[in-house]
Amino acid sequence: MNKLLASLALLGFITLAGCAGTPPAPGPIAQKDLAPTGTLRVAVFTGNPVLGTKKDGQLAGTTVAMGHALAQSAGVPVQLIEYTAVAKLVEDAKAGAWDVAAVAYDPGRKDVLEFAPPHVVVDLTDMLAPGSAIQSAAAVDAPDVNVAAARGAATTLYLERTLKQAKVIAADNEPAAFALLKEGKAQAYAQNRYMLLGLADGLPGARVAPDRFSAAEMCLVLPKGRLAALAYVSAFVDYAKQDGTVQRAINDAGLRGVTVAAPQP
């Protein structure tokens, strides 16, 4: 048993299970901090299929799988809440509208969200417009290049900090960002590789760059200040990566190019 889990148990945040393969149960402090209404409200962002989808009225994907597993471990019921815009999801954290969500890590969100260690990793790259002479993600940062991205997405936040010559054109959501590329208003559309590969199949002539400009680490997050819950969720994520929960969620969602995040040192 590692020192972190032992320390959390002493503080009352978790109750150590009798079996090393079983996730820790939360202590009363952590359980109340995690699900203050008595139900774990899981925010599911369906604008990114690596995180969530909606088909026939049913929410699915890695966030749903992790949310159900976390609720079961914590001994509370679960409620799923759909978000189609990540900026709205992050904004609603300020009002405590949900208890746990999954988003890509970005330091610009740390004033609003508490981040557990990453559980999923995927390349960030560009879809290149049909007929574009651009051959790689590295070549996108050039004069007179517009890059479409969804407002508030980790991809957008990263590019706004790092692009030197190209211009980020922020759209309200992912479909609107893709529309900018289709309409010729942008020469590239930035998102994760899995999502772009699927979209490129429906846009003749579009190509997904072979390289990447970064990698997105998907993390379970909580509203700012819920530190007892964060300690518990971080321990849960560690178990979920080891016992196959995260890999099963990836497999069940049929995600290409998506891997389980490496254990934290």
Side-chain angles (χ1 to χ4, degrees), residues 126-154:
D126 295 286
M127 183 192 299
L128 307 172
S132 174
I134 300 171
Q135 297 297 316
S136 67
V140 166
D141 193 7
D144 301 319
V145 174
N146 289 335
V147 182
R151 184 173 292 108

Side-chain angles (χ1 to χ4, degrees), residues 4-16 24-34 73-74 226-233 235:
L4 171 62
L5 295 184
S7 298
L8 296 178
L10 288 173
L11 291 171
F13 293 156
I14 65 172
T15 300
L16 297 180
I29 298 171
Q31 188 181 61
K32 182 65 176 177
D33 202 34
L34 178 65
S73 176
R226 295 198 190 178
L227 299 182
L230 176 64
Y232 171 68
V233 172

Side-chain angles (χ1 to χ4, degrees), residues 42 44 46 52-55 57-61 64 80-83:
V42 179
V44 182
T46 55
T53 60
K54 188 174 185 179
K55 185 176 181 180
Q58 298 295 313
L59 293 174
V64 173
L80 304 178
I81 304 171
E82 182 186 9
Y83 281 87

Side-chain angles (χ1 to χ4, degrees), residues 1 4 11 22 53 55 80 88 92 113 125 130 143 173 207-208 212 239 241 257 265:
M1 191 62 62
L4 171 62
L11 291 171
T22 303
T53 60
K55 185 176 181 180
L80 304 178
K88 174 63 173 171
D92 278 3
L113 304 175
T125 188
N173 51 40
R207 295 168 290 116
V208 177
R212 72 183 193 185
Y239 272 93
K241 289 191 289 188

Side-chain angles (χ1 to χ4, degrees), residues 139-198:
V140 166
D141 193 7
D144 301 319
V145 174
N146 289 335
V147 182
R151 184 173 292 108
T155 310
T156 311
L157 298 175
Y158 178 85
L159 292 177
E160 288 174 341
R161 291 194 303 269
T162 59
L163 288 180
K164 304 301 183 185
Q165 301 181 85
K167 181 181 179 181
V168 176
I169 306 298
D172 286 340
N173 51 40
E174 298 296 347
F178 184 39
L180 291 174
L181 186 80
K182 292 190 292 184
E183 294 165 3
K185 297 177 181 178
Q187 291 72 50
Y189 167 36
Q191 241 306 336
N192 68 70
R193 184 175 300 280
Y194 171 78
M195 186 170 175
L196 295 180
L197 286 170

